[in-house]
Amino acid sequence: MSFELSLLILLSVLYLILLFSVAWATERGILPRSLVRHPAIYTLSIGVYASAWAFYGTVGLAYQYGYGFLTYYLGVCGAFLLAPVLLNPILRITRTYQLSSLADLFAFRFRSTWAGTLTTLFMLLSMLPLLALQIQAVTDSVQILTLEPGQHPVAFGFCLLIVLFAILFGARHISAREKHEGLVFAIAFESVVKLVCLSAVGLYALFVVFEGPAGLELWLSHNQEALKTLHSPLQEGPWRTLLLVFFAAAIVMPHMYHMAFTENLNPRALSTASWGLPLFLLLMSLAVPPILWAGLYLNVPTNAEYFTLALGVSSGANWLTLVAFIGGISAASGLIIVVTLALSGMVLNHMVLPVYQPSADNNIYRWLLWTRRALIAAIIMASYAFYRLLGTDQHLSNLGITSFVATVQFLPGALSVLYWPQANHRGFIGGLMAGMLVWAVTLLLPLFTGIDVLHVMNVQLTFDEESWHIAAIASLATNIMVFTLVSLFTRRSPEEVSAAEACLVDNVRRPQRMELVASSPQEFAQQLAKPLGNRAAQQEVEQALRDLKLPLDERRPYALRRLRDRLEANLSGLMGPAVAQDMIETFLPFKITRGYVTEDIHFIENRLEDYHSRLTGLAAELDALRRYHRQTLQDLPMGVCSLAEDNEILMWNRALQALTGVEADGVVGSRLESLPAPWNQLLLQFVADESAHLYKQKLIIDGNTHWLSLHKAAIDEPGNARGGLVLLIEDQTETQLLEEELVHSERLASIGRLAAGVAHEIGNPITGIACLAQNLREESEQPEIHEAAEQIVDQTRRVSRIVQSLVNFAHVGSRHYSTDDEVDLKACTNEAIHLLSLSRRGPDVKYVNLCDASHRVAGDSQRLAQVMINLLGNARDASEDGDQVTIRTIQDEHQILWIVEDQGSGIDQTLKDRLFEPFFTTKAPGKGTGLGLALVYSIVEEHYGQITVDSPIDDATRRGTRFTITLPRHGVFSSGSSAPDNAD
């Protein structure tokens, strides 16, 4: 039975179109985003590991190595089961520094262009046998189904088709920032197709060929050699080497690195893949033994590697044959597409760009895109040439093992990235070249020449299909030995030391804190325009700012260092770490400094916060202690600011945020001089001052006066003569106001004592003058003398009233009334209005008495009338002709509010606090003594009341004043009870 070639070509094209349609629908958002980003899709996409060798060749492995074929699955499963200590750290590094391939990882870690270039070259050489395996698997499949030998045109056509779809799948975007969701979903779909097809063949073998498990058991009981064939190679064969080889493949093979790390959409999905991928591979492996036994049972005439395909042919099941063919096409095409995408990026970044970079006048994005497309085509055509050069008589297992043994040479370097910081680029390059040399001589050359005998020091060494594991161990041992010895006996560069610290699993350190030459994102763009062009440079800087959520006008040194690191990471994803590092160091250099440079404390703090949940043991206890001390500083009710030697702000606690109104997020990492006024000038002067303390500095903040005390202390780091400063800023405004109030109270007391003395000294002379004037008035009959005597008496009365006011002020707290005395506030108000109406001085105002006659208080009616006279007199003096002064009362259960409102000019806000001071007046000289409101305050206080002032009361005109006197109602203090102490 044979199939038409046209049918097989049509099926292949239709399948690839279906695969592309799935990717296209994903990219266009037709499929639900929750499905596309589901961890199961990511897990299935890593199933690209199961290539045509897994679909066809594992049956051959089972035939050759028995149950040792399981190592193909168990090796990669072991790597994913160790994801927390092996894969997660690599994923973290890859995402942080935008490393899109293993060559990027090595170039970044060893800070060597040669490390990336040699990795790319040797990886390309290593993958050619695996790519040729896929092409041969497809060609052999067509040959088996058509029964026509010499299918080289089919192989060439298949390669052209894959070139087209590889470009469509993954070469539409050039930057590693852009994840190819369509590619991920399509490869996941391809994994499902492989699993379904292989499972269908396995189930057919079990339930149709053997008619169920019982039939299989019966056949095995009569064919014990079939079981022995599976067991004996496992006991004697190189299964341990197979396990190691396939373990390494999960980490270092380009298609695995690309799908597991570069195309990872969600870091948490790797945790699901750590058990999901082993489950997927277990399901695939279950079909292998039934297919092998069914092939032996039916005496399938093909090689055991193609039992999966030939089973349907031998049993006459055309549908099963086509299902197996589709599964093989799926496995081969998926691997070739992903491998060439990964290799094209490696070749572009590490072989093309280090030699030739486009000029800034060109569109660098377009140039990179088309160069990568050309590389995809070149790599696939090179695989075809390799396939033709080898011939068609190679076993799939030979090609697969040759490729996998080559890639295991990268395992020491990958492990050293995470766990051996002493490794250097010389050791890595030396070990890699030595291991690859042994591999090329022992495994690669025999593929071409057929020579498997070498003479080394007259000793004959044979490397054939049965002893390949010796070559594998020899090459890996040589690699490790050279890598270790060279690294131990050569020094690392400072760049390597920094990169090694960045790659360590428990890394929380940060390179030294240095100042950049460029001082703004605009200067970054100007400098990068030289190699990238204006458009690309501006686009990259804006993208980095968006990634970090920084403003376009950012100037903080710490933020600019972060921006530089982000730009290097983004350019690394675009052009590779070697080119990106060289470009950043050339065009965005640090300032050359000869002084001491500290580490970036703020960055370390952020990293420790990220690692908080991962720390255990002593590290966790030390972190808890750090967090406790930091929280203490943050919650300290005193401003704390920590400065580096160059005045970069390293800490800005909450109290300082509240005092200055400047948020920590906006100031940490900036220079002290960049603070807003007046803080920059104050702190800069204090830092420059030799004194360690500065007390009660007056500062105007938002129109309010503050008094601050500043303290500073030097932070001398161990082993360094210089360090930073810590500043303490203490807000003593309340203390200063309290002191001023105490001084004011003492001054009032002094004035009271002075007033008492003055009243005593003046009282007697005034009394004598009044008596003499009265006698003169009574004894003289001359009108002139009589009038003069009358004026003298009036003036002595005025002086007496002033003296009495001084006496009253000096005796604040004395009571001149009984709590049983009842005062009618409306009558008091009428009396005050009547007395004021006798004087025609001042503006003509209208007094409106709205007081309730039923509102009574306990007190001295004469003294309360004096209060109203003073308030109404002041209201008249502040008013204009025609204005109205309103007096009213409001009563509640315990007190009465006596309110005076005018429409006058109001009171200046700066004078309110001094209104009730003795001798304070805003009137012209001779117009007032400044004792009126002081007397009002004293009388109100005597009556256990309070007085408040509001001005202005009309926000629109900014005019008017309201005095509110609060007095106890009559009857609140009964005759049998004592009045409360003085309100003071």
Side-chain angles (χ1 to χ4, degrees):
M1 181 183 64
S2 63
F3 293 84
E4 293 294 331
L5 178 62
S6 58
L7 173 63
L8 300 180
I9 293 175
L10 179 62
L11 285 176
S12 301
V13 173
L14 289 177
Y15 171 75
L16 290 175
I17 291 175
L18 174 63
L19 203 61
F20 176 74
S21 300
V22 170
W24 181 86
T26 304
E27 295 284 354
R28 290 293 183 274
I30 297 175
L31 298 178
R33 191 170 184 81
S34 57
L35 174 63
V36 174
R37 289 183 171 265
H38 195 279
I41 299 301
Y42 170 75
T43 302
L44 288 170
S45 72
I46 306 176
V48 71
Y49 170 78
S51 64
W53 191 22
F55 199 84
Y56 296 132
T58 48
V59 180
L61 277 180
Y63 182 79
Q64 186 176 3
Y65 296 108
Y67 284 120
F69 86 92
L70 290 172
T71 57
Y72 180 84
Y73 304 103
L74 294 177
V76 70
C77 290
F80 274 83
L81 290 174
L82 293 175
V85 296
L86 193 60
L87 302 184
N88 283 334
I90 296 178
L91 177 61
R92 175 187 63 81
I93 299 170
T94 298
R95 292 176 67 88
T96 302
Y97 301 105
Q98 296 286 337
L99 308 177
S100 58
S101 66
L102 190 70
D104 286 358
L105 180 66
F106 289 150
F108 173 80
R109 162 60 180 86
F110 296 110
R111 291 301 190 187
S112 168
T113 303
W114 278 105
T117 302
L118 289 176
T119 298
T120 301
L121 181 62
F122 290 146
M123 186 64 77
L124 182 62
L125 187 61
S126 303
M127 295 308 295
L128 286 178
L130 189 62
L131 293 173
L133 183 154
Q134 315 306 313
I135 299 172
Q136 180 171 324
V138 173
T139 306
D140 289 349
S141 300
V142 173
Q143 183 173 326
I144 291 171
L145 296 184
T146 61
L147 302 179
E148 295 179 5
Q151 297 293 340
H152 297 312
V154 172
F156 185 73
F158 174 71
C159 290
L160 290 179
L161 199 60
I162 291 299
V163 167
L164 174 63
F165 280 94
I167 292 174
L168 291 175
F169 272 115
R172 293 196 301 276
H173 310 289
I174 188 60
S175 176
R177 289 192 300 266
E178 311 257 355
K179 302 299 182 183
H180 304 96
E181 293 184 347
L183 173 66
V184 173
F185 196 86
I187 297 301
F189 176 78
E190 176 259 341
S191 295
V192 174
V193 171
K194 288 185 299 189
L195 178 61
V196 170
C197 293
L198 189 62
S199 299
V201 177
L203 292 173
Y204 183 88
L206 179 61
F207 290 100
V208 177
V209 175
F210 290 109
E211 298 181 352
L216 175 60
E217 186 177 357
L218 179 63
W219 182 81
L220 288 175
S221 65
H222 291 88
N223 296 271
Q224 292 294 325
E225 67 278 1
L227 286 176
K228 291 180 181 179
T229 301
L230 290 177
H231 284 286
S232 57
L234 183 62
Q235 298 170 356
E236 304 169 1
W239 64 271
R240 297 174 185 84
T241 307
L242 283 170
L243 197 63
L244 173 63
V245 166
F246 296 130
F247 174 87
I251 307 170
V252 300
M253 276 199 152
H255 53 295
M256 293 299 290
Y257 192 101
H258 190 81
M259 298 310 299
F261 305 127
T262 306
E263 296 292 350
N264 182 286
L265 299 174
N266 180 8
R268 296 182 180 179
L270 190 57
S271 300
T272 304
S274 65
W275 60 266
L277 183 66
L279 178 61
F280 170 79
L281 296 177
L282 171 64
L283 294 175
M284 288 200 69
S285 66
L286 291 177
V288 173
I291 294 174
L292 173 63
W293 291 326
L296 295 175
Y297 173 74
L298 296 175
N299 292 318
V300 174
T302 65
N303 188 299
E305 293 175 329
Y306 293 104
F307 279 3
T308 304
L309 183 67
L311 198 60
V313 177
S314 298
S315 60
N318 292 347
W319 67 270
L320 184 66
T321 304
L322 294 179
V323 165
F325 177 74
I326 291 297
I329 289 291
S330 175
S333 60
L335 181 130
I336 293 176
I337 289 173
V338 178
V339 167
T340 52
L341 288 177
L343 287 177
S344 65
M346 294 171 66
V347 174
L348 175 63
N349 291 344
H350 300 282
M351 297 183 71
V352 176
L353 285 173
V355 177
Y356 173 78
Q357 295 180 21
S359 67
D361 298 331
N362 296 332
N363 185 332
I364 191 170
Y365 297 114
R366 183 184 298 274
W367 184 90
L368 291 171
L369 182 60
W370 281 103
T371 303
R372 187 166 186 180
R373 289 173 176 174
L375 289 173
I376 289 174
I379 291 170
I380 294 179
M381 288 298 105
S383 304
Y384 172 74
F386 191 86
Y387 156 75
R388 289 297 305 274
L389 187 62
L390 286 178
T392 59
D393 57 346
Q394 296 290 340
H395 291 295
L396 297 184
S397 60
N398 286 350
L399 293 174
I401 286 176
T402 300
S403 183
F404 277 75
V405 171
T407 56
V408 82
Q409 305 304 319
F410 300 100
L411 181 62
L415 295 178
S416 71
V417 168
L418 302 179
Y419 295 106
W420 193 31
Q422 285 73 31
N424 60 32
H425 71 282
R426 296 183 182 88
F428 169 74
I429 293 173
L432 183 61
M433 293 181 68
M436 291 300 295
L437 179 62
V438 175
W439 166 80
V441 170
T442 57
L443 292 179
L444 185 62
L445 285 180
L447 287 178
F448 293 99
T449 64
I451 301 175
D452 55 7
V453 178
L454 297 176
H455 296 279
V456 182
M457 299 179 64
N458 297 323
V459 178
Q460 182 170 296
L461 298 178
T462 302
F463 298 97
D464 53 23
E465 295 181 5
E466 300 298 329
S467 58
W468 65 266
H469 61 283
I470 299 176
I473 296 300
S475 61
L476 184 60
T478 302
N479 184 341
I480 294 174
M481 181 177 65
V482 174
F483 186 9
T484 303
L485 292 176
V486 174
S487 294
L488 290 176
F489 290 100
T490 56
R491 291 186 176 182
R492 299 177 296 164
S493 66
E495 292 79 10
E496 280 186 283
V497 174
S498 176
E501 291 176 351
C503 291
L504 287 178
V505 173
D506 57 351
N507 165 53
V508 294
R509 299 194 65 193
R510 163 75 187 159
Q512 291 179 331
R513 184 185 56 80
M514 301 172 66
E515 185 178 359
L516 286 163
V517 174
S519 60
S520 69
Q522 288 71 28
E523 292 186 29
F524 277 47
Q526 292 171 6
Q527 292 298 316
L528 290 177
K530 299 174 183 177
L532 296 178
N534 290 326
R535 178 184 174 186
Q538 189 66 35
Q539 185 172 332
E540 290 298 322
V541 170
E542 290 177 358
Q543 179 63 47
L545 288 170
R546 285 194 296 271
D547 293 342
L548 298 173
K549 299 179 180 179
L550 296 176
L552 291 173
D553 58 349
E554 181 62 73
R555 288 183 173 273
R556 291 178 296 160
Y558 166 70
L560 294 179
R561 289 194 297 272
R562 291 181 63 202
L563 179 61
R564 181 184 188 270
D565 291 343
R566 188 66 189 186
L567 277 168
E568 182 176 347
N570 288 354
L571 290 175
S572 175
L574 186 69
M575 310 173 74
V579 174
Q581 179 194 357
D582 181 67
M583 187 178 296
I584 292 296
E585 289 182 352
T586 302
F587 296 99
L588 295 176
F590 289 105
K591 289 182 179 179
I592 299 176
T593 177
R594 298 178 182 177
Y596 169 66
V597 180
T598 64
E599 289 186 338
D600 201 324
I601 301 298
H602 190 60
F603 186 91
I604 295 174
E605 285 279 355
N606 290 340
R607 291 298 302 273
L608 284 172
E609 289 299 321
D610 294 340
Y611 274 84
H612 170 63
S613 60
R614 310 181 201 175
L615 300 177
T616 58
L618 181 60
E621 294 179 4
L622 290 174
D623 183 64
L625 184 63
R626 173 195 67 83
R627 294 168 68 87
Y628 173 77
H629 286 307
R630 182 169 183 81
Q631 194 66 32
T632 299
L633 292 174
Q634 284 290 347
D635 294 338
L636 197 68
M638 180 184 296
V640 179
C641 173
S642 178
L643 300 175
E645 184 190 357
D646 56 357
N647 285 345
E648 182 176 327
I649 299 172
L650 304 179
M651 182 181 182
W652 191 268
N653 76 339
R654 295 189 184 95
L656 205 50
Q657 290 184 78
L659 176 62
T660 62
V662 179
E663 294 295 326
D665 291 339
V667 75
V668 170
S670 64
R671 293 279 190 270
L672 200 59
E673 55 266 21
S674 66
L675 288 175
W679 300 103
N680 49 1
Q681 184 177 2
L682 173 69
L683 296 181
L684 282 171
Q685 290 178 351
F686 180 55
V687 169
D689 198 306
E690 295 183 358
S691 175
H693 307 281
L694 203 60
Y695 296 102
K696 294 186 180 178
Q697 292 297 301
K698 187 177 180 180
L699 202 65
I700 305 299
I701 306 173
D702 296 331
N704 298 319
T705 304
H706 289 255
W707 285 269
L708 306 175
S709 290
L710 295 88
H711 316 274
K712 66 183 176 186
I715 305 174
D716 296 327
E717 299 191 12
N720 294 287
R722 294 180 294 175
L725 288 174
V726 59
L727 307 182
L728 299 180
I729 298 91
E730 185 179 4
D731 187 1
Q732 292 192 322
T733 303
E734 292 186 3
T735 303
Q736 179 69 19
L737 293 176
L738 180 60
E739 291 179 357
E740 290 183 357
E741 187 174 342
L742 291 173
V743 171
H744 179 64
S745 299
E746 181 62 30
R747 184 158 60 90
L748 290 179
S750 300
I751 292 175
R753 291 190 293 271
L754 174 64
V758 169
H760 178 73
E761 295 296 328
I762 294 177
N764 292 334
I766 290 299
T767 302
I769 294 172
C771 291
L772 292 174
Q774 289 175 359
N775 292 336
L776 183 61
R777 183 183 58 184
E778 296 295 333
E779 294 175 358
S780 175
E781 296 181 356
Q782 297 181 15
E784 295 83 0
I785 295 177
H786 190 275
E787 182 179 356
E790 186 65 31
Q791 290 177 352
I792 292 173
V793 171
D794 289 341
Q795 294 301 319
T796 55
R797 289 174 181 169
R798 183 182 177 190
V799 173
S800 296
R801 287 196 300 272
I802 295 174
V803 170
Q804 185 60 43
S805 296
L806 289 174
V807 172
N808 292 339
F809 176 77
H811 294 87
V812 172
S814 59
R815 311 296 175 197
H816 305 285
Y817 66 93
S818 168
T819 55
D820 293 330
D821 295 341
E822 186 178 12
V823 178
D824 181 351
L825 294 181
K826 183 170 185 177
C828 280
T829 304
N830 284 329
E831 181 181 353
I833 294 173
H834 175 70
L835 292 175
L836 287 173
S837 63
L838 297 178
S839 173
R840 296 299 179 185
R841 295 179 304 170
D844 184 13
V845 299
K846 179 182 180 182
Y847 297 102
V848 179
N849 185 1
L850 301 178
C851 296
D852 192 326
S854 64
H855 293 173
R856 308 295 180 92
V857 299
D860 185 335
S861 59
Q862 292 300 317
R863 295 180 67 77
L864 291 177
Q866 182 66 36
V867 167
M868 190 54 57
I869 289 171
N870 278 285
L871 293 181
L872 294 180
N874 288 339
R876 182 184 62 184
D877 294 341
S879 300
E880 298 177 354
D881 289 340
D883 286 348
Q884 178 176 296
V885 179
T886 304
I887 309 95
R888 55 193 171 90
T889 56
I890 301 175
Q891 177 178 301
D892 62 16
E893 184 179 358
H894 299 292
Q895 60 189 13
I896 292 176
L897 303 183
W898 199 10
I899 302 171
V900 178
E901 290 185 1
D902 64 50
Q903 298 174 332
S905 58
I907 301 172
D908 194 323
Q909 297 293 322
T910 60
L911 303 179
K912 279 187 178 182
D913 294 338
R914 302 186 62 191
L915 283 179
F916 301 106
E917 291 183 9
F919 306 115
F920 174 76
T921 180
T922 59
K923 297 178 181 179
K927 298 295 183 179
T929 62
L931 289 173
L933 288 179
L935 179 62
V936 166
Y937 185 87
S938 299
I939 295 173
V940 170
E941 196 176 50
E942 287 177 12
H943 287 75
Y944 308 109
Q946 294 179 340
I947 182 170
T948 58
V949 59
D950 297 301
S951 182
I953 57 176
D954 188 339
D955 293 332
T957 61
R958 307 298 297 174
R959 294 177 61 84
T961 301
R962 178 191 301 117
F963 281 90
T964 303
I965 301 172
T966 304
L967 296 170
R969 285 181 57 193
H970 179 263
V972 171
F973 306 127
S974 62
S975 58
S977 63
S978 59
D981 293 336
N982 185 2
D984 284 339

